[in-house]
Amino acid sequence: MTDYLQTVDWSRAQFALTAIYHWLFVPLTLGLGFLVAIMETQYVRTGDAFWKRTTKFWMRLFGINFAIGVATGIILEFEFGTNWSNYSHFVGDIFGAPLAIEGIMAFFMESTFIAVMFFGWDKVSKRFHLAATWLTAVGANLSAVWILVANSWMQYPAGCTFNLDTVRNEMTSFWEVALSPVAVNKFLHTVTSSYTLAALFVVGVSAWYLLRGRERRMATASIAVASAFGLVFSLVTALTGDRSGAVVARVQPMKLAAMEALYRGEKGAPLTVVGLLRPHPVNGEAFYFSVDIPKMLSMMSFRDPDAYVPGIYDLVDGNPEHGILPTAEKIERGRRAVAELARYRTALDEGDEATQREIRALFDPATPQGEEFLREYFAYFGYGYLETPGQIVPHVPTLFYSFRVMVGAGSLFILILALVWWFNRRGDLDRRRWLLRASIACVPLAYAASQAGWILAELGRQPWAIQDMMPVSVAASKIPSGSVAVTFFLFLALFTALLAAEVSIMTRQIKLGPNDKE
Amino acid sequence: MQTIRRVIRFYVEGFRSMTVGRTLWALILVKLFILFAVVKLFFFPDFLAGKSDEERSRHVMRELTD
């Protein structure tokens, strides 16, 4: 393996590590902010000091998570510029805009109101304080909008055109980028699943109090709010997940085929509920055994039980009957696009203006030959860097199992939250000790499910940094692999220390309960 | 002027009255120091820094076509 390929692997590992740790802090912030705001609304509406005490307790846990998590995402932005400089330049204008909006609008909004939220008790009016709490929650979620818009563009690069001279993709339509079907679904699915995680956190901590026979009123009141909130949003998460599957089927068919381990495409494709994968498929058969729901994959993907769902072999080898181009052909077309870019570079070096004009026309969507070249060749630009068609297949077992962890856990959460809500409403939740223990177990499981979702989304995009446009193998900077390896371990140590600090401070505060000052 | 004084007093009193928050602020400051003073300066030199827009474009064009 060359040093550059090692650099690519280390850079991917480093980015994955920082993103995974960053995402341990974010979802709780997204959801707990709203739960705290709902509790404070109860306080303002009723004037009952109990709700103020309850709000302050959960706000303290929100503050711990926020403080330890804040700025962990900055490392990801460093890495774009250093480890992924080719990628950053190639997409800069499009990727930069949502991130800049995030920084200016959402982060400052969040940071301004969080001070009022924590310092403003008894110093500003109740309603002003309540507004600050709601705006902090809204600000956190607005941050998520723009980050997820940027990520969605990598999955589905819409609303852009390639500028040959700057070697950058430039935004042609902000709304196509911000409101692409991938962006809308990704935002809704990500935030609603985060609300579910936060609800499970509140339910889990409250369940711990009930098991200990402490803070019964606060625990049952918190569970009433969180279980209802969580139940609603876990159901919405299921709906947005279903919609995400349909979008993936259209824009990233390989991701869908890989997460279903569907090697041969078929009409009326079944959905595998559970299954044990073979190390390698035998005659297209991926499983030792599986439990399937007939026609469900076709139904979920194309809203038609008899629709054709392409498999991995169809996408690699092509399927003329269904209009799927062989990957080998896409590689040839991509190489032609790369070759034209190389020819342009030579023409620039040699001052050959006639060739420059000729190639500019090819990349100009306003000319007929440009329109054809961009559609038939440049659309496969990224394939020009692949060596074999098989490289477009992501790691099937990881995708298959992470999808099932996410969906299985999500289904369990709906059941648990419904039961918790029901028994709490009847007033006998604290006698269902098995359910209280299950609620506590759901807290780490919610984090695992959330991470599994991201693993599915990001590993499912491989080998692409930007779908069809740029593989990770050319996106990385040519920096020594050793220095990337050093920073990998540096971040591992830093983030592990932060996580240990969070868990330690958080558990101490939970044990102290709401009676402690601040 | 009066408003600015009130805002400053709001923050000063807020920071003074913190208990858990002090530990958190210490953590935040250590973290930011590591991120900006150590990681950013020593491990994350800007790869395309010091290049003009045209030089950056030519650099990436070379990277994509070599």
Side-chain angles (χ1 to χ4, degrees), chain A residues 67-68 70-71 75 78 82 85-86 89 115 119 123 166-167 342 345 349 385 478-479 487 491 498 509 518, chain B residues 10-11 13-14 18-21 28 31 35 39-40 43-45 47 57-58 60-66:
Chain A
I68 295 178
V70 77
I75 293 182
F78 291 167
T82 55
S85 61
N86 292 343
H89 182 87
F119 299 160
K123 292 196 179 77
T166 59
V167 200
R345 173 190 153 194
D349 289 342
Y385 298 99
K478 287 197 173 82
I479 48 179
T487 46
F491 293 154
L498 287 175
Q509 290 304 315
E518 194 189 357
Chain B
F10 174 83
Y11 276 92
E13 285 175 8
M18 288 192 308
T19 54
V20 183
I28 289 171
K31 177 175 64 180
L35 287 182
V39 173
K40 181 77 177 127
F43 293 98
F44 281 103
F47 203 74
S57 300
R58 296 296 286 274
V60 175
M61 195 183 285
R62 262 197 310 280
E63 292 280 306
L64 296 183
T65 54
D66 268 343

Side-chain angles (χ1 to χ4, degrees), chain A residues 103 154 200 257 288 313:
Chain A
M154 296 164 73
L200 287 164
Y288 286 117
Y313 293 155

